[in-house]
Amino acid sequence: MQMKLEPRSILLKLFFAAGLVVFGWITTVAQSTTVWIVRHAEKDTAFANRANPDLTPVGKQRAMDLATYLQKENIVQVLSTDTKRTVQTAAHIKAPIELYNPRSIQMVVEKINTTWKGKTILLVGHSNTVLETIDALGGNRPVALLNDEDYDYIFKVVIDDAGKATATAYQYGQPHRGGNATMR
């Protein structure tokens, strides 16, 4: 027995299929970009004049805590400065690591808005670059200041498809100081 489709039925199926394609394209284009920003973990300060220290054992644990904290995020790229402590902080994230220059943050922002638009990335920086990076992405600083002792903050910057950025502060790993349980 051969089934005969009516022209109207064929047209409805074609419109439905075309609608699915258009809907899929629109949802792909209209995705937000998520940038997780974190300061490197605790660094070895035993030799105060060492220019490029490694992480301490506590810092190495924090780096593992970072990977655990972000494990359900679909991070496609990690950006890190070229210091040992930032690279070691990012080492447990299962995504490629690309080095960036924090003095050229506008170039980094441009690349985030083009190359990784609609994706999730992690950026590992320093106490004197993290909040400036949030500013450069167009977000409002969720904390006023980062001190040399602040290691447990992580910031989530979501950039919508119109380019509006929203920044939120959280904490991860062993609490260092400040914050509250609702930030976890």
Side-chain angles (χ1 to χ4, degrees), residues 21-162:
V21 169
V22 169
F23 176 76
W25 177 77
I26 288 172
T27 56
T28 300
V29 171
Q31 291 180 346
S32 61
T33 303
T34 301
V35 183
W36 288 95
I37 304 173
V38 67
R39 179 194 179 195
H40 61 78
E42 287 86 342
K43 64 184 175 183
D44 184 357
T45 57
F47 301 102
N49 33 345
R50 283 178 50 182
N52 194 9
D54 289 304
L55 295 180
T56 63
V58 171
K60 290 176 183 175
Q61 179 59 53
R62 185 172 304 282
M64 289 190 287
D65 293 343
L66 176 64
T68 300
Y69 187 89
L70 295 174
Q71 71 185 355
K72 292 184 180 172
E73 298 295 319
N74 186 23
I75 295 176
V76 299
Q77 184 70 53
V78 176
L79 299 176
S80 171
T81 65
D82 65 353
T83 63
K84 289 183 200 175
R85 58 193 178 274
T86 55
V87 172
Q88 290 169 358
T89 299
H92 300 285
I93 304 296
K94 302 208 181 317
I97 297 175
E98 180 177 314
L99 300 181
Y100 79 96
N101 182 345
R103 290 179 194 91
S104 302
I105 199 62
Q106 284 305 83
M107 289 174 46
V108 174
V109 168
E110 189 175 309
K111 193 166 183 181
I112 288 169
N113 288 327
T114 56
T115 303
W116 300 298
K117 185 177 179 102
K119 308 253 190 292
T120 301
I121 67 167
L122 169 67
L123 187 140
V124 184
H126 302 271
S127 62
N128 64 343
T129 66
V130 167
L131 296 175
E132 289 77 4
T133 302
I134 293 170
D135 292 340
L137 289 167
N140 291 324
R141 294 181 182 202
V143 297
L145 172 66
L146 279 185
N147 294 313
D148 278 345
E149 298 82 27
D150 290 327
Y151 290 104
D152 57 349
Y153 283 111
I154 185 167
F155 302 94
K156 182 178 185 181
V157 180
V158 178
I159 306 165
D160 67 19
D161 58 325

